[in-house]
Structure formats: C-alpha cells, structure tokens
Amino acid sequence: MYQNGYNVYKNNSVNYASKEQLLLMLVDGAVKFVKIGRQAIIDKEIEKAHNSLTKTQDIFVELMVSLDVSKADWTAPLLDVYRFIKEKLREANMKKSIEILDEVIPLIESVSKLWHDAYIQSKK
C-alpha cells in the first residue's frame, strides 16, 4: 500500500515538474547513482555497480542531448565536460575502477552544484 502511494507521488513529481526541476532531478540522480556504483565496486557487487554506473551514463547522455548549444557560447564547453564524464564513467564501469570514479565524482558534484546555483539565481 505505502509503496504504491510513493510510486504515485514519484511519478507525479516527475510528470508535473518544470524543465528546470527535471534538470535538477537528473543531476541529483547522477550524484546518487555514481556513489552507489562506487560503493558497489568496493562491496564487490558487480551487477549493482554496473547498473548504477550505467544509469549515471544514461543521465549524462540525456544531459548532452537536451543541451542546446546554439543558445549560448558557454554550452559547447559544458557539452565537452559532459562527454568527458560519460567517457570516464564508461571506463570506470569497464575496469570497475574506484580511482577513475574518485577522479570523476567531484566533477559530477560540480555539475550538480552549477545547475542548482543557476536555478537559485534564476528565481531571484
């Protein structure tokens, strides 16, 4: 019963979210899933690590395709950052490398902070 209510709430929050809120959900999900993937590698839970890192890669693919590089000159460098992160995630997933994840997690957190800060600034 409670799980069904939670699923309804979760679906509604996504279905009725603004574009900006959806973007924040994506970057928050990226931070969450990459950390789950890192811990799963430590715990030797290979399937869980793979699934979590793949979800993070999928989020960055979505961020890449939704970024309109014709709108502003700062979008092209951001697209390059997204590509770099996606490639590092792929490599970390293939090698199950904590070291690569430790390199890329701060970058993912920075992307999340960037979008959260931009959202706050847009509301002022």
Side-chain angles (χ1 to χ4, degrees):
M1 177 170 113
Y2 294 111
Q3 185 64 26
N4 189 31
Y6 173 75
N7 286 337
V8 169
Y9 168 78
K10 192 167 70 171
N11 285 337
N12 284 340
S13 66
V14 170
N15 291 334
Y16 295 106
S18 68
K19 289 180 185 179
E20 295 85 5
Q21 290 167 326
L22 288 172
L23 176 68
L24 297 180
M25 288 179 196
L26 282 173
V27 295
D28 288 345
V31 171
K32 172 186 165 185
F33 289 121
V34 75
K35 289 181 178 181
I36 290 171
R38 183 186 186 283
Q39 188 60 47
I41 291 171
I42 291 169
D43 297 340
K44 307 265 189 265
E45 297 178 39
I46 302 306
E47 184 176 352
K48 183 177 182 179
H50 172 76
N51 291 339
S52 296
L53 295 176
T54 299
K55 285 178 185 178
T56 312
Q57 289 173 317
D58 290 346
I59 288 169
F60 276 92
V61 168
E62 185 62 32
L63 291 170
M64 288 167 61
V65 299
S66 66
L67 188 63
D68 187 349
V69 293
S70 69
K71 294 285 185 188
D73 58 348
W74 56 265
T75 55
L78 185 58
L79 184 60
D80 290 339
V81 170
Y82 289 169
R83 283 186 183 125
F84 176 80
I85 290 170
K86 183 180 159 294
E87 180 57 31
K88 286 295 183 178
L89 288 168
R90 185 192 64 75
E91 183 181 354
N93 196 6
M94 286 177 44
K95 296 178 180 179
K96 300 300 183 256
S97 171
I98 295 295
E99 294 78 16
I100 295 171
L101 290 177
D102 286 345
E103 174 187 343
V104 79
I105 287 172
L107 192 52
I108 294 171
E109 290 172 331
S110 293
V111 167
S112 178
K113 182 175 178 350
L114 167 82
W115 284 116
H116 278 276
D117 290 348
Y119 179 75
I120 291 167
Q121 287 298 315
S122 74
K123 296 300 177 186
K124 288 185 177 180

